[in-house]
Amino acid sequence: MNSGVWKEVGCAKLWNEWCRTMDTVHLSPTDAFCVFYQLKSDPSVFLCQCSCYIAEDQQFQWLEKVFGSQPRKNMQVTVLTCRHVTEYKTSESTCSLPSPFLRALKTQKFKDCACCPLLEQPNIVHDLPAAVLSYCQVWKIPAVLYLCYTDVMKLDLVTVEAFKPVLSSSGLKCLVKNIPESTEILKKLMTTNEIQSNIYT
Amino acid sequence: MFVPCGESVPDLTNFTLLMPAVSVGNVGQLAIDLIISTLNMSKIGYFYTDCLVPMVGNNPYATAEENSDELSINTEVYALPSRKLVVLQLRSIFIKYKSKSFCEKLLAWVKSSSCARIIVLSSSHSYHRNDVQLRSTPFRYLLTPSMQKSVQNKIKSLNWLEMEKSKCIPEMSDSEFCIRIPGGGITKTLYDESCSKEIQMAVLLKFVSEGDNIPDAVSLVEYLNEWLQIVKPSSNNCTACALPWKIPSSWRLLFGSGLPPALF
């Protein structure tokens, strides 16, 4: 989002037990749970930032509201998400895994190569990313999910940097400028968002 | 609703639909996995509803690098036209209050696609057995009235035991008796709905406990195989040979990842 000018074009408001905000009628943009942005230089590009948990009984309705009941064939969807490394099943111990690391899942109609290995069985994905990918698979929409397995519970630079290969993928590289300087840009973005958490100060 | 993988809807007239109930030990689902894997069935579509928790993963029946990257979702339909078999696999649990809606949508699809009959593979809590059930085989069957007419003789020849009725309210001494399938998920609902809609349905279930339920799944498909003969022994000479069930590649790490060496 730092690379272009984005216009906020909508939001999806919902409530479930995991939401922190009680008032769902008068949400401010900072409270709104799923905000949709449109790229000003290319109005065919939309971005959705989901900052809350969408419960399993809300996912289907979320999809219908966002994608509509008539699926569009000429669109491509990219989903970025994270999971804790302990959810990754492997014959080795998870302690020995080089986290953070990326894995991908793609629908049948997604013909490009993923920029990381595909998610190996018996690993599976749940929640909204799974709902989106299922929708795209069923309605034959090209879609790719990039999943970062990380060993930290809150946002950090190392985890975000794990997504760097994705920035060079065919779907996203036209949206990102200054890829060599991305580390510096990310550091600045992380510092502004970090909440002071040192209990000794 | 059923959404085909290809451009056209396959003709399922007179096919037998096999499906699992999400039940204790996931035995029905494991059994269906075995059937799809062994018969190398092809995916023909999805049963896309808002009734089950979404999940995705790569091909759970992958046999090689080439077919390992096909995406699978929570409800998929596979077919083996040469045997007039169609299989529905369920890979996640029902969303709260949606199971009845799913049963209605499923049975409506079965009727509209003119399937001949449905066979539900299920399981029930073994700790609910009465004394008679404890001393007998753990397998039971149920047939809807319309199914009884066509297969009763075959079932009788197999010497199978029908699921016994038990007290509707166990604590009441004068309670009426009815079919109860504790731990059976949607089995009872599907059975009752099929009875009232005159759909030919059979339920095959096993009394099981939670744990490593792979042996239960193998024995349940062998129970089904006594009737349908979907898989023959690999050698004609050996009458006591194990049937060649193919374990799916996704049946790995069922009890978690590897252990850290530092633990020892």
Side-chain angles (χ1 to χ4, degrees):
Chain A
M1 285 189 75
N2 196 57
S3 298
V5 180
W6 298 83
K7 181 178 75 170
E8 187 185 320
V9 293
C11 62
K13 302 170 190 175
L14 52 91
W15 184 89
N16 56 53
E17 295 81 358
W18 286 268
C19 295
R20 291 184 297 276
T21 307
M22 293 300 292
D23 184 357
T24 54
V25 175
H26 302 105
L27 281 170
S28 69
T30 49
D31 290 338
F33 302 128
C34 294
V35 186
F36 295 84
Y37 302 90
Q38 186 178 31
L39 187 60
K40 278 190 168 170
S41 56
D42 184 352
S44 70
V45 179
F46 289 86
L47 188 150
C48 170
Q49 260 195 334
C50 237
S51 51
C52 76
Y53 177 68
I54 310 223
E56 57 201 27
D57 58 344
Q58 296 171 318
Q59 289 159 12
F60 195 86
Q61 285 71 33
W62 188 97
L63 287 168
E64 293 222 303
K65 292 273 188 220
V66 171
F67 291 114
S69 52
Q70 300 293 324
R72 275 170 255 260
K73 289 282 165 71
N74 57 347
M75 71 173 175
Q76 181 162 302
V77 178
T78 302
V79 183
L80 306 181
T81 192
C82 277
R83 286 292 177 271
H84 199 271
V85 72
T86 48
E87 291 183 35
Y88 182 73
K89 283 194 182 169
T90 171
S91 49
E92 311 158 35
S93 154
T94 46
C95 302
S96 58
L97 291 171
S99 56
F101 58 92
L102 276 188
R103 286 294 184 267
L105 283 172
K106 54 191 176 96
T107 62
Q108 194 169 14
K109 288 294 179 188
F110 186 86
K111 296 301 182 193
D112 295 334
C113 286
C115 49
C116 64
L118 295 180
L119 185 64
E120 309 90 339
Q121 272 284 350
N123 292 289
I124 54 176
V125 174
H126 299 113
D127 299 330
L128 188 67
V132 171
L133 221 63
S134 299
Y135 178 94
C136 292
Q137 174 74 355
V138 169
W139 300 117
K140 303 181 176 58
I141 297 167
V144 62
L145 160 66
Y146 289 107
L147 168 58
C148 179
Y149 284 99
T150 176
D151 54 2
V152 294
M153 299 299 288
K154 63 172 216 157
L155 189 66
D156 76 335
L157 187 60
V158 176
T159 302
V160 177
E161 280 214 303
F163 279 105
K164 261 168 102 171
V166 178
L167 300 180
S168 313
S169 67
S170 56
L172 296 186
K173 65 180 176 205
C174 50
L175 301 176
V176 185
K177 59 184 186 202
N178 294 331
I179 293 176
E181 284 144 49
S182 56
T183 307
E184 286 310 308
I185 297 170
L186 275 173
K187 269 191 191 156
K188 284 187 203 157
L189 291 171
M190 294 291 309
T191 320
T192 32
N193 287 330
E194 233 172 52
I195 298 165
Q196 183 58 264
S197 61
N198 189 337
I199 62 170
Y200 297 109
T201 58
Chain B
M1 61 181 288
F2 176 74
V3 181
C5 286
E7 294 306 317
S8 60
V9 179
D11 183 12
L12 301 176
T13 308
N14 291 328
F15 273 51
T16 296
L17 170 67
L18 299 179
M19 64 169 285
V22 181
S23 57
V24 56
N26 304 104
V27 175
Q29 294 159 285
L30 293 171
I32 292 292
D33 258 357
L34 274 175
I35 292 169
I36 295 169
S37 176
T38 306
L39 298 179
N40 202 23
M41 297 178 84
S42 310
K43 195 187 322 187
I44 60 165
Y46 310 96
F47 196 70
Y48 189 60
T49 65
D50 61 346
C51 302
L52 285 101
V53 172
M55 55 73 57
V56 289
N58 276 324
N59 184 7
Y61 314 112
T63 49
E65 199 67 41
E66 295 78 47
N67 62 18
S68 63
D69 63 349
E70 294 162 17
L71 195 71
S72 274
I73 69 166
N74 59 0
T75 31
E76 296 190 319
V77 183
Y78 298 77
L80 188 63
S82 57
R83 304 290 306 270
K84 282 200 170 282
L85 264 182
V86 58
V87 168
L88 170 71
Q89 177 60 304
L90 307 177
R91 299 199 174 97
S92 62
I93 53 173
F94 288 100
I95 290 171
K96 211 166 185 179
Y97 309 125
K98 296 277 189 178
S99 54
K100 191 143 199 280
S101 162
F102 178 81
C103 292
E104 285 160 9
K105 287 173 182 163
L106 175 72
L107 294 178
W109 172 59
V110 165
K111 274 214 155 171
S112 66
S113 53
S114 307
C115 285
R117 57 192 183 175
I118 312 174
I119 301 176
V120 179
L121 301 183
S122 182
S123 53
S124 185
H125 283 302
S126 58
Y127 67 82
H128 269 274
R129 288 177 292 174
N130 60 29
D131 292 345
V132 169
Q133 289 167 331
L134 279 167
R135 288 193 285 261
S136 58
T137 168
F139 299 101
R140 293 291 184 277
Y141 76 91
L142 271 174
L143 302 174
T144 57
S146 46
M147 183 73 142
Q148 268 167 7
K149 292 173 203 150
S150 47
V151 303
Q152 190 68 56
N153 292 335
K154 173 69 183 170
I155 300 293
K156 258 199 175 125
S157 70
L158 295 168
N159 291 317
W160 280 2
L161 290 180
E162 192 174 8
M163 185 68 172
E164 300 90 341
K165 287 189 179 175
S166 56
K167 284 185 183 165
C168 296
I169 305 166
E171 297 80 18
M172 264 175 61
S173 54
D174 56 349
S175 167
E176 283 184 7
F177 280 67
C178 59
I179 297 289
R180 288 171 63 243
I181 309 176
I186 59 168
T187 309
K188 178 81 169 36
T189 308
L190 274 177
Y191 176 73
D192 290 341
E193 291 286 310
S194 298
C195 285
S196 65
K197 292 179 164 68
E198 296 181 345
I199 293 175
Q200 291 196 39
M201 173 183 283
V203 174
L204 269 54
L205 64 87
K206 187 182 180 193
F207 292 116
V208 303
S209 301
E210 293 271 358
D212 180 358
N213 298 107
I214 291 176
D216 297 312
V218 174
S219 58
L220 187 62
V221 288
E222 292 192 336
Y223 182 60
L224 171 71
N225 204 50
E226 286 176 29
W227 172 19
L228 289 191
Q229 295 286 296
I230 45 179
V231 167
K232 307 258 188 311
S234 44
S235 164
N236 287 331
N237 297 329
C238 177
T239 48
C241 271
L243 289 168
W245 302 110
K246 192 162 110 188
I247 303 287
S249 51
S250 56
W251 282 18
R252 293 174 56 235
L253 308 172
L254 286 175
F255 299 100
S257 290
L259 297 171
L263 198 67
F264 307 106

